[in-house]
Amino acid sequence: MSFSHKSLLGLKDLTAEEILYLLEESKAFRKILERDVKRVPTLRWLAVVNLFFEASTRTRISFELAEKRLSADVVNFSASTSSVKKGETLRDTVNNILAMKIDMIVIRHSSVGASHYVERATGVPVINAGDGTNEHPTQALLDLYTIRERFDHFNGLKVTILGDIRHSRVARSNICGLKKLGAKVVLCAPKTLLPPYPEALGVEYTTDIDEALSGANVVNVLRLQLERQKGGYIPSLREYRMFWGLTAERTKLLDPDHIIMHPGPINRGVEIDSDVADSVDNVILEQVTNGVAVRMAVLYILAGRIKE
Ligand code: CP
């Protein structure tokens, strides 16, 4: 199996075989993370810049660690302390950084399509670390890896995505990947937080949380994006939790063989209760660990394409 893409901009662009290839390759890197010495010299020739124009804890640290574990040179950029503050354009910022002989770009940006734009403007391989409400492909890959690690397959699994789907790039990438791999995807949110045309996504959707959770093997709970709730999408946090929060009582509706996922950051007591977030069924921190391995695999495969 080969991977024909120069960049990873979204799971929309990948075939099921390519997604499975990335998941399979990630296994070897996951093993490296269990060793005493977690660093390999594989990418010591590579220089990567992590361009974060939006806040991040997990993705940013995970990419940096993945790059360092592969012995790449790493430069971190934060918009808040850069010349973007002085009015420099995205294109000028990126081209100035590339003039310092950088081989690959990881970018998170609030604008949909920012990673596509940077790839077109520079010709350099780009990894999308989240672009607005569009895609977050490495998050979806680590979610898929975590599901596969537990169930060993996707066919026929009921995966419920619960929460603020309207604003979620994680949901969009997960929907793409899960559909391609044969899972049954159910979206659940208040009507205002479902995507505008849910039927166009080719998945089931409901506003009824009991129906969505009933018999589900996986529930992926999404953060209520508090910073994007200015449009009056929900009456109050209290009511959101009452009707769409994942409580211990509601987890009884899930299939006995289930896992509870959350991409983070978590709003405890809003979309998920604290006791559920800390329960034995949750794999939230496993997702974070798997994220480093998956990002190592993506970096390794895309770097290999530079050398072709
Ligand atoms: N899951 C995720 O993207 O988290 P961060 O925003 O902290 O990177």
Side-chain angles (χ1 to χ4, degrees):
M1 172 75 206
S2 66
F3 191 78
S4 61
H5 304 269
K6 167 181 171 177
S7 297
L8 179 65
L9 304 181
L11 292 201
K12 189 164 46 53
D13 310 322
L14 305 190
T15 63
E17 291 70 31
E18 286 169 331
I19 294 171
L20 288 172
Y21 172 65
L22 289 173
L23 300 183
E24 204 53 40
E25 290 292 298
S26 302
K27 282 185 186 170
F29 293 102
R30 184 67 184 77
K31 281 195 189 126
I32 290 173
L33 297 181
E34 296 304 323
R35 298 190 332 204
D36 287 344
V37 178
K38 297 175 177 61
R39 185 184 284 251
V40 289
T42 320
L43 296 185
R44 61 185 168 202
W45 56 271
L46 188 82
V48 188
V49 63
N50 299 317
L51 294 174
F52 277 73
F53 290 86
E54 239 193 11
S56 170
T57 299
R58 279 146 290 270
T59 312
R60 186 185 173 125
I61 292 174
S62 182
F63 266 112
E64 184 175 347
L65 199 56
E67 291 148 4
K68 287 180 170 166
R69 297 281 190 233
L70 291 166
S71 302
D73 287 331
V74 182
V75 187
N76 289 308
F77 164 96
S78 168
S80 59
T81 53
S82 75
S83 291
V84 168
K85 283 271 178 204
K86 301 175 192 164
E88 190 169 58
T89 65
L90 175 58
R91 189 185 190 117
D92 284 337
T93 298
V94 172
N95 278 327
N96 274 275
I97 293 169
L98 290 180
M100 299 179 214
K101 304 297 174 198
I102 297 287
D103 303 299
M104 196 182 284
I105 297 169
V106 175
I107 180 168
R108 168 170 287 193
H109 201 283
S110 56
S111 297
V112 169
S115 57
H116 296 72
Y117 171 76
V118 167
E119 193 205 41
R120 274 202 311 277
T122 65
V124 165
V126 174
I127 302 175
N128 181 4
D131 63 326
T133 55
N134 182 38
E135 281 228 39
H136 191 349
T138 56
Q139 176 68 44
L141 287 170
L142 74 88
D143 292 340
L144 294 170
Y145 185 96
T146 307
I147 293 171
R148 194 178 187 224
E149 197 174 40
R150 171 61 181 267
F151 295 100
D152 211 33
H153 70 99
F154 295 94
N155 255 329
L157 282 184
K158 178 174 174 180
V159 181
T160 295
I161 301 177
L162 170 68
D164 185 354
I165 299 160
R166 184 187 187 96
H167 298 113
S168 177
R169 53 194 173 211
V170 175
R172 247 163 283 278
S173 289
N174 262 275
I175 291 167
C176 273
L178 287 163
K179 268 178 61 185
K180 286 178 187 185
L181 298 178
K184 174 184 161 171
V185 182
V186 179
L187 309 181
C188 180
K191 208 165 181 183
T192 49
L193 293 179
L194 282 169
Y197 299 101
E199 58 283 351
L201 297 170
V203 294
E204 292 180 25
Y205 61 96
T206 178
T207 56
D208 181 341
I209 188 167
D210 291 354
E211 179 190 330
L213 295 180
S214 179
N217 304 99
V218 178
V219 54
N220 196 350
V221 187
L222 302 178
R223 177 174 79 91
L224 184 66
Q225 301 200 17
L226 299 172
E227 71 279 20
R228 294 190 172 106
Q229 299 303 323
K230 296 182 183 73
Y233 296 106
I234 53 163
S236 68
L237 295 183
R238 198 170 64 84
E239 278 167 272
Y240 184 82
R241 187 244 167 214
M242 196 184 298
F243 291 105
W244 287 283
L246 189 64
T247 61
E249 189 58 29
R250 287 186 171 134
T251 62
K252 293 178 187 160
L253 295 166
L254 298 167
D255 189 272
D257 191 15
H258 68 259
I259 54 173
I260 296 166
M261 305 175 74
H262 194 308
I266 292 174
N267 296 311
R268 287 175 183 262
V270 181
E271 71 268 2
I272 187 167
D273 277 6
S274 255
D275 53 348
V276 179
D278 297 329
S279 75
V280 289
D281 298 333
N282 97 77
V283 292
I284 298 170
L285 295 180
E286 280 166 57
Q287 288 172 260
V288 176
T289 308
N290 291 339
V292 179
V294 164
R295 290 179 176 116
M296 286 172 83
V298 170
L299 288 158
Y300 170 74
I301 290 164
L302 294 183
R305 299 236 47 221
I306 297 175
K307 288 283 187 196
E308 277 173 10

